[in-house]
Amino acid sequence: MLNSALELKDLNGETGMSEVVSYEVRGSIGLIQINNPPVNALSVNKGVLQGLLDAIKSGDHDPQVSAFLIFGSGKNFSGGADISEFGKPKVPGMATLSDLLAYMDTVTKPIVAALSGPTMGGGFELSLTCHYRLASQETIVALPEVKLGILPGAGGTQRLPRIIGAEQALELITSGAFVSAQEAKSLGIVDEVIDGNLLEDSIKWIKRALRSGLPVARVSERSVKTATDPKEFIAKATGVAEKKWRGYPAPLRIVECIDAAINTSFKEGIQIERKNIEELILTNESKSLRHLFFAERQANKVVGISKETPTAKIQNVSVIGAGTMGTGIAMNFLNAGIPVTIVDTNDETLKKGIDTINKNYLSTVAKGKLSAEDHDRRVGILTGSTQLSAVSDSDLVVEAVYEEMKIKQTIFRELDSFVKPTAILATNTSTLDIDEIASVTQRPEQVIGLHFFSPANVMRLLEVVRAEKTSPEVVATSMSLAKKIKKIPVCVGVCDGFVGNRMIHTYLREAEYLIEEGALPQQVDHAIESFGFAMGPFRMCDLAGLDIGWAIRKRKKSEGLISKRYVSIPDHLCERGWFGQKTGGGYYTYEAGSRVPIVNPEVSAIVESASSQQGMIRRTIEANEIVDRLMFALINEGAEILAEGVAQRASDIDVIYAAGYGFPRYRGGPMFYAQTIGLSNVVEGIERYSKQDHGDHWEVSPFLSQLVQKNQTFE
């Protein structure tokens, strides 16, 4: 790590640290330190880039200076540009990153970068413009701009191919992959990996190199190498980008920039890169991806929970239920090194669940994604029991049994007799009232919902459901723990289905209305998948299991909770034992061991018969109507959820749908998409569909109407 005790002089020559950049001449080396915590972002507005430019210019004209060393304060060199400044006008009198790097390419004295920690985006591009790069063992480098719908816009697409070749550069830039210090060394990105004190050892490295005659080594003067014929390489890369990144414009533009790096001068390549990033920044896709970037960070902030709210240490966990959800949930904690006890009253189910966890890990080992040592470590902290008393030492108990209120209440009532007073009691229910569950305990303030999404060991979303009496400490602990187990947590309130499932129920209901009125399941799925969803509603139902929805519908029927038009089609499938992929058939049929859906003519006949029984005259429904109605259903219900305060903010809903329901990230989530197309257009669309035959279920959310009347957005 850096020795931050080194005292530097600021650009005015006074001893001490300047606000964002410090400069000192030590011997013949100009030491330039970036000091813009927490990640040393290369902010234009704060003057970081101008400070760097002034420092280099100062040393460039100083005969005492023979070389420069640029490094960052704290833990990393630079995390890159300040994303909040993207797309904004240039600040008069302040240098941009392009200004800085263009000047650096004229400097006749060697410039060395001392990289540490995450060195991303513009920070990495800054280092690529330096003539040499040294790195600490902890350094990772990446050009992740593609994840924001843009591309490296400060020479990254032109310099990186000149260092590591076109093929490897294209892979790193289109994937945004992280590269470790040692891998960067083997690729030729880094000249030396330093194991000791990065700053002091970098200074020693420069002194030795100067004695040997350290030349200026401009990356911009190198040529780009390709392993195959350049034309064939670009043609293949274009085809891959069009297929693999459908809906995302940035990868194709990156290929264009790599093509320019190969076939044009560096100056022309920079101009092509600049043109492409300026166009990409203005696209809805980039705006959507940047929206989600900030939304995920905003979701960590819970209303009423301050940074000072104490959190409990979760050192061991119990999971009640050894089924699909229970085993998946357990793996999250095992992955994080937290011991888990799985409890199930059925010995056979318990053994099967533990075997499933072991098989999942062994499969990951076979794929080379997990070491045998890590496998042994994880299964070594897993135990099982058929006795509820086994939870007595747990800091957190997660109930993951069948979705039945009486069963869950029985478990929570019994838990009072076994768990310690400080233990957090969590339910994984996806729809049930957590206040009702908490009411049977003597500690409702310790009860919370932790709604994992299936498969729980894969899906990143976690709905943290705050019940009426849940304490702030339990909420804060749950949000913190979610990040430890690498989930994206979103805090929501209690209602039927919370946020995600409440909205998906309206979406699925609308999908059922569409097939009852004239579409077929495969047509609905194709339309919404073409829109960008990972999976259409009927394929999704087959994957989740139709029996789950069937059980929920029967519960709601018995409780008198179904007030909208009822579609019997999924019931007819379930009555035949067609529960989806797990039974080889649902809305589609599936061959043994395959998840590829095959259209079943018998399902089409069931759909058409159900329409006839309802007295409906089926009609052709175009793809645009399918997409509109499904999206408007989500948006309208999302507006109601916001109005009720079940979700804290519209962006939280977007995070839930992008992370948990396969909503296309390049569209930003349902609420952001609504703003993209205009809230007034959503209201007009809903009113239009309400006037169609069988459209009387449509009713515009009063909150949505109010926003349109006031010319406001969800934000």
Side-chain angles (χ1 to χ4, degrees):
M1 289 298 173
L2 300 180
N3 181 0
S4 58
L6 178 70
E7 188 177 68
L8 300 179
K9 294 179 180 179
D10 68 19
L11 298 179
N12 296 317
E14 298 175 0
T15 299
M17 296 293 289
S18 72
E19 189 175 345
V20 289
V21 175
S22 298
Y23 177 64
E24 179 197 23
V25 178
R26 177 184 282 194
S28 63
I29 302 173
L31 300 175
I32 304 171
Q33 184 180 45
I34 307 169
N35 183 37
N36 185 27
V39 298
N40 292 326
L42 301 177
S43 169
V44 174
N45 293 340
K46 288 186 178 180
V48 176
L49 296 166
Q50 187 64 50
L52 287 167
L53 181 59
D54 291 344
I56 294 172
K57 282 183 176 180
S58 177
D60 198 21
H61 298 102
D62 184 350
Q64 183 182 338
V65 174
S66 299
F68 296 95
L69 176 65
I70 304 176
F71 62 100
S73 64
K75 295 182 178 180
N76 67 320
F77 179 75
S78 172
D82 186 338
I83 297 172
S84 66
E85 297 176 354
F86 279 17
K88 294 184 179 178
K90 182 177 178 180
V91 180
M94 287 290 189
T96 64
L97 185 55
S98 296
D99 295 333
L100 170 64
L101 303 190
Y103 182 81
M104 287 173 64
D105 240 3
T106 69
V107 175
T108 57
K109 299 173 182 179
I111 306 173
V112 181
L115 310 183
S116 57
T119 299
M120 307 292 180
F124 187 26
E125 289 178 292
L126 170 61
S127 77
L128 293 175
T129 313
C130 294
H131 307 129
Y132 301 93
R133 286 157 294 282
L134 311 176
S136 68
Q137 291 282 1
E138 298 81 12
T139 299
I140 53 173
V141 298
L143 292 172
E145 287 86 351
V146 69
K147 297 176 182 178
L148 298 177
I150 55 175
L151 50 77
T157 66
Q158 303 304 299
R159 288 188 174 91
L160 190 60
R162 285 172 161 80
I163 296 175
I164 64 175
E167 287 85 357
Q168 288 178 313
L170 178 65
E171 173 61 27
L172 291 184
I173 298 172
T174 54
S175 68
F178 296 162
V179 177
S180 68
Q182 291 297 341
E183 186 181 354
K185 173 75 161 58
S186 65
L187 287 171
I189 297 171
V190 166
D191 297 283
E192 190 74 48
V193 177
I194 292 176
D195 200 21
N197 183 297
L198 179 62
L199 181 55
E200 297 300 340
D201 287 355
S202 294
I203 292 172
K204 292 176 183 176
W205 186 93
I206 294 173
K207 287 180 178 178
R208 288 195 302 271
L210 285 172
R211 287 195 292 270
S212 302
L214 184 65
V216 170
R218 299 188 213 284
V219 174
S220 59
E221 294 176 352
R222 303 184 194 179
S223 60
V224 179
K225 295 180 180 179
T226 58
T228 58
D229 177 74
K231 287 185 178 179
E232 291 180 7
F233 163 65
I234 293 298
K236 182 179 179 182
T238 300
V240 169
E242 288 174 340
K243 183 178 180 181
K244 184 177 180 181
W245 301 103
R246 181 171 61 91
Y248 293 85
L252 267 174
R253 301 295 192 98
I254 291 168
V255 173
E256 183 181 334
C257 291
I258 298 291
D259 187 10
I262 296 170
N263 294 306
T264 69
S265 68
F266 180 80
K267 182 179 179 180
E268 289 174 295
I270 288 290
Q271 290 172 342
I272 290 170
E273 179 189 81
R274 173 52 47 187
K275 171 181 172 290
N276 275 294
I277 190 172
E278 287 176 350
E279 292 175 354
L280 285 170
I281 282 176
L282 299 176
T283 63
N284 283 334
E285 290 83 359
S286 178
K287 291 175 183 176
S288 297
L289 291 165
R290 281 180 276 149
H291 164 73
L292 285 174
F293 176 86
F294 288 112
E296 288 181 5
R297 283 145 187 80
Q298 184 74 0
N300 289 319
K301 300 175 183 177
V302 180
V303 175
I305 307 294
S306 69
K307 291 182 179 180
E308 290 70 38
T309 302
T311 58
K313 287 186 177 180
I314 305 299
Q315 297 177 313
N316 49 73
V317 173
S318 286
V319 177
I320 301 173
T324 301
M325 285 304 299
T327 54
I329 290 169
M331 290 179 69
N332 289 286
F333 298 106
L334 297 172
N335 294 345
I338 300 173
V340 175
T341 299
I342 291 190
V343 179
D344 199 296
T345 55
N346 186 300
D347 191 62
E348 184 179 341
T349 303
L350 178 64
K351 184 178 183 302
K352 182 180 178 182
I354 292 174
D355 286 345
T356 296
I357 292 173
N358 188 43
K359 287 177 182 176
N360 285 342
Y361 281 137
L362 287 174
S363 174
T364 311
V365 171
K367 294 174 183 175
K369 296 181 179 179
L370 184 72
S371 69
E373 292 76 18
D374 280 337
H375 162 269
D376 294 344
R377 191 177 299 114
R378 294 177 191 187
V379 298
I381 56 175
L382 172 65
T383 57
S385 177
T386 56
Q387 302 299 315
L388 196 58
S389 58
V391 307
S392 59
D393 291 329
S394 296
D395 300 309
L396 168 68
V397 179
V398 183
E399 167 272 310
V401 301
Y402 195 69
E403 194 77 347
E404 178 63 51
M405 177 62 78
K406 289 182 180 179
I407 297 174
K408 292 178 185 291
Q409 285 184 322
T410 298
I411 290 171
F412 273 77
R413 190 179 289 112
E414 292 178 1
L415 282 173
D416 268 339
S417 305
F418 299 112
V419 296
K420 55 190 180 184
T422 57
I424 295 174
L425 307 183
T427 174
N428 180 56
T429 180
S430 59
T431 58
L432 299 179
D433 188 334
I434 296 174
D435 289 320
E436 279 191 45
I437 295 172
S439 70
V440 303
T441 75
Q442 299 300 311
R443 59 185 91 194
E445 71 283 354
Q446 293 294 106
V447 177
I448 196 165
L450 294 181
H451 179 208
F452 290 82
F453 286 72
S454 184
N457 56 308
V458 175
M459 297 296 288
R460 296 183 65 205
L461 177 65
L462 178 65
E463 278 185 321
V464 176
V465 190
R466 177 166 50 179
E468 182 183 358
K469 295 183 179 179
T470 307
S471 73
E473 292 77 13
V474 169
V475 175
T477 299
S478 299
M479 294 293 289
S480 175
L481 179 63
K483 287 181 278 187
K484 185 174 182 180
I485 61 174
K486 298 183 178 179
K487 296 296 184 186
I488 298 173
V490 182
C491 187
V492 301
V494 174
C495 68
D496 189 12
F498 316 128
V499 171
N501 279 349
R502 174 173 161 179
M503 289 173 64
I504 208 69
H505 289 159
T506 63
Y507 168 88
L508 293 175
R509 185 183 67 214
E510 196 61 33
E512 291 170 357
Y513 289 170
L514 283 163
I515 62 173
E516 193 175 52
E517 292 171 26
L520 290 172
Q522 60 269 25
Q523 293 170 335
V524 174
D525 283 350
H526 178 73
I528 204 67
E529 287 165 13
S530 296
F531 176 78
F533 267 71
M535 191 175 292
F538 298 109
R539 286 183 60 202
M540 182 182 71
C541 286
D542 276 0
L543 176 63
L546 302 186
D547 51 329
I548 297 172
W550 196 26
I552 292 171
R553 287 193 302 278
K554 286 190 286 188
R555 171 178 66 82
K556 287 186 174 182
K557 263 188 177 181
S558 67
E559 296 173 0
L561 297 176
I562 296 177
S563 58
K564 301 285 186 180
R565 178 175 118 214
Y566 190 83
V567 178
S568 61
I569 294 167
D571 292 353
H572 294 321
L573 300 180
C574 290
E575 287 161 3
R576 288 167 169 74
W578 297 351
F579 297 151
Q581 288 186 12
K582 58 189 174 185
T583 58
Y587 283 102
Y588 301 90
T589 57
Y590 302 86
E591 294 180 351
S594 172
R595 293 190 175 185
V596 177
I598 301 170
V599 174
N600 183 354
E602 196 171 345
V603 171
S604 300
I606 291 170
V607 168
E608 291 169 2
S609 174
S611 297
S612 178
Q613 289 172 14
Q614 292 296 319
M616 291 187 176
I617 299 174
R618 293 177 65 80
R619 64 182 176 87
T620 299
I621 301 179
E622 302 295 340
N624 65 318
E625 180 179 342
I626 292 171
V627 171
D628 274 356
R629 287 173 59 176
L630 294 180
M631 290 303 96
F632 293 169
L634 286 176
I635 295 161
N636 202 46
E637 193 67 23
E640 283 297 278
I641 284 170
L642 283 173
E644 294 169 16
V646 175
Q648 298 181 109
R649 50 187 79 90
S651 60
D652 283 2
I653 296 175
D654 289 333
V655 171
I656 287 170
Y657 264 78
Y661 291 88
F663 197 98
R665 292 186 66 85
Y666 61 82
R667 296 194 189 274
M671 312 315 278
F672 188 81
Y673 173 70
Q675 294 177 169
T676 301
I677 63 175
L679 298 189
S680 61
N681 290 325
V682 175
V683 170
E684 289 169 8
I686 292 173
E687 290 174 343
R688 182 174 66 255
Y689 289 123
S690 72
K691 295 172 184 175
Q692 290 186 166
D693 289 343
H694 315 297
D696 55 358
H697 63 282
W698 284 108
E699 185 177 344
V700 179
S701 161
F703 179 58
L704 185 55
S705 291
Q706 186 181 47
L707 290 177
V708 171
Q709 289 166 9
K710 293 182 178 181
N711 197 28
Q712 295 177 336
T713 67
F714 289 124
E715 296 172 351

